[in-house]
Amino acid sequence: FDDEYHPKIDIKKISEEAIQNLVLQKNRLTGNQIKFIRTYFDKSLREFATIVNESHSAVKKWESFGKNPTNMDLNIEILLRLYVYD
């Protein structure tokens, strides 16, 4: 474009790699990662909340942690990782 080189980036491939890596990462999930998972699966806050059997406000709170680990219960995080894996 405009005589400049622009690399072709396969966003779908990058997203698939990232989502798969979240399942096995050793650290707890961050708020940004929760939001990435939710948007990857194209779920609203309410739809995503039903997956983890929580309220939409809890999901919104987790996402507000940004780059920091959330305070979600470890069992919920395991359930979420299994959902991503499946």
Side-chain angles (χ1 to χ4, degrees):
F1 301 101
D2 297 326
D3 294 328
E4 292 183 31
Y5 175 74
H6 296 276
K8 182 177 179 182
I9 299 173
D10 188 344
I11 299 296
K12 184 174 181 175
K13 184 177 179 180
I14 292 170
S15 295
E16 288 172 2
E17 289 279 332
I19 200 81
Q20 290 172 5
N21 289 332
L22 289 178
V23 173
L24 299 176
Q25 85 173 13
K26 294 182 184 204
N27 298 333
R28 299 292 301 267
L29 294 173
T30 67
N32 291 339
Q33 290 170 328
I34 298 298
K35 186 169 186 175
F36 173 73
I37 293 168
R38 181 174 66 79
T39 56
Y40 179 86
F41 290 106
D42 196 27
K43 301 289 184 188
S44 69
L45 286 170
R46 291 187 190 279
E47 291 170 329
F48 191 77
T50 61
I51 293 168
V52 293
N53 201 28
E54 281 290 334
S55 67
H56 72 281
S57 59
V59 175
K60 187 174 180 176
K61 179 181 166 192
W62 298 333
E63 290 181 0
S64 74
F65 279 80
K67 63 181 181 178
N68 298 313
T70 68
N71 64 348
M72 77 168 53
D73 183 88
L74 181 57
N75 292 321
I76 295 172
E77 184 170 324
I78 291 169
L79 174 69
L80 182 54
R81 288 175 190 240
L82 289 172
Y83 176 81
V84 170
Y85 179 77
D86 188 35

